[in-house]
Amino acid sequence: MWWHQHNLCFRRPIEEDYSSRDVEEKVATIAETDESAESEGVIDSHKRREILSRRPSYRKILNELSSDVPGVPKIEEEKSEEEGTPPNIATMAVPTSIYQTSTGQYNEETELAPSHMAAATGDMPTYQIRAPTAALPQGVVMAASPGSLHSSQQLAEEATRKRELRLMKNREAAKECRRRKKEYVKCLESRVAVLEVQNKKLIEELETLKDICSPKTD
DNA sequence: GAAACCTGGCGTCATCCTAA
DNA sequence: TTAGGATGACGCCAGGTTTC
């Protein structure tokens, strides 16, 4: 991982905590003080989004930190140089035609169709990715070919297919993003521990030097 | 034991950012 | 300029913990 490779997180102090719950508490506090919001009793989700300004990504922050330190490479795209990449990262390593997620089972890539089976948690749809040509509805294939007639239904199917594909990719991306973020937080925590030890040692050293430089006269 | 609260994970949406 | 990946934010759920 990039932060492990470069030991990036041991360079500069932590500047920000990325707890979304903290943000939610702050927003809630703001909302409580907002008279109009009080009168409504509920904050509109759009209003919440306006209140919440998007924070810079943790990856960007690390880049900025590293740019101040000569010899520290910037964070690039995550390379899978490291061995032992978790096999459950579906977007990176799908060894066979089937892989499992928490909400559904995915078959081999390329074609997606919502099955809307009731997932374990409730009404989350599950998706099956079908093989390229085998089970593909003919209408979808025709819609993809140039010059063919596009009925409104075919267009709708195509739009739906694209949406499902995008959702599936985003789902996997979100998982990967969370995994990276957890590692990032762990990294910061270990950095705190190291700096605390260093600080303690320096304080002890300072006390020792003070004793040496100013010996007691009585 | 039930209710309240906390925590962690997930899917989705909106937005940012970058490569093409 | 645009498509697509990355990620912050939101809402929901399940499981664990605390309080009564």
Side-chain angles (χ1 to χ4, degrees):
Chain A
M1 298 308 167
W2 41 266
W3 46 76
H4 290 158
Q5 287 167 1
H6 305 316
N7 230 3
L8 264 179
C9 52
F10 290 88
R11 302 284 179 184
R12 290 272 293 274
I14 300 170
E15 294 182 355
E16 203 164 9
D17 176 20
Y18 276 83
S19 165
S20 62
R21 292 187 188 281
D22 291 349
V23 177
E24 286 179 9
E25 287 170 8
K26 287 173 189 168
V27 172
T29 306
I30 293 169
E32 283 170 9
T33 59
D34 185 346
E35 291 178 2
S36 63
E38 266 185 347
S39 65
E40 293 295 329
V42 176
I43 305 175
D44 183 58
S45 65
H46 285 289
K47 191 171 183 179
R48 284 171 65 91
R49 283 184 184 275
E50 287 173 7
I51 293 170
L52 288 165
S53 61
R54 186 186 176 92
R55 300 181 179 202
S57 73
Y58 56 86
R59 187 184 292 227
K60 189 173 183 178
I61 288 176
L62 281 185
N63 267 330
E64 289 172 1
L65 294 183
S66 62
S67 68
D68 292 343
V69 182
V72 177
K74 290 202 167 199
I75 300 166
E76 303 291 344
E77 296 291 321
E78 188 172 11
K79 308 292 184 188
S80 57
E81 297 168 3
E82 189 181 60
E83 288 185 4
T85 302
N88 58 341
I89 307 303
T91 52
M92 292 183 168
V94 184
T96 62
S97 60
I98 292 178
Y99 58 101
Q100 186 83 29
T101 71
S102 61
T103 56
Q105 185 182 72
Y106 298 168
N107 294 325
E108 192 154 22
E109 59 202 343
T110 310
E111 189 52 37
L112 238 177
S115 61
H116 292 287
M117 298 183 299
T121 57
D123 54 354
M124 285 295 181
T126 59
Y127 302 101
Q128 290 183 340
I129 314 172
R130 292 182 289 219
T133 56
L136 190 64
Q138 194 174 359
V140 174
V141 174
M142 293 301 290
S145 62
S148 64
L149 290 175
H150 290 228
S151 72
S152 60
Q153 185 182 358
Q154 287 169 347
L155 289 175
E157 285 176 359
E158 179 69 9
T160 301
R161 188 186 66 85
K162 283 184 178 177
R163 173 182 156 77
E164 303 297 358
L165 187 61
R166 179 169 51 79
L167 287 180
M168 189 203 72
K169 284 184 177 180
N170 188 246
R171 195 155 49 230
E172 296 302 320
K175 284 179 189 172
E176 181 66 9
C177 184
R178 288 174 182 130
R179 186 188 64 78
R180 280 197 294 263
K181 189 170 182 177
K182 276 178 71 177
E183 288 205 34
Y184 167 75
V185 170
K186 279 184 190 173
C187 187
L188 290 182
E189 287 171 350
S190 59
R191 179 183 170 207
V192 166
V194 167
L195 290 176
E196 281 178 346
V197 169
Q198 281 183 358
N199 192 38
K200 193 176 177 182
K201 282 182 181 175
L202 287 171
I203 288 172
E204 289 174 359
E205 192 178 336
L206 178 63
E207 294 300 322
T208 304
L209 289 172
K210 275 184 184 175
D211 287 346
I212 293 173
C213 293
S214 58
K216 292 176 183 175
T217 54
D218 50 321

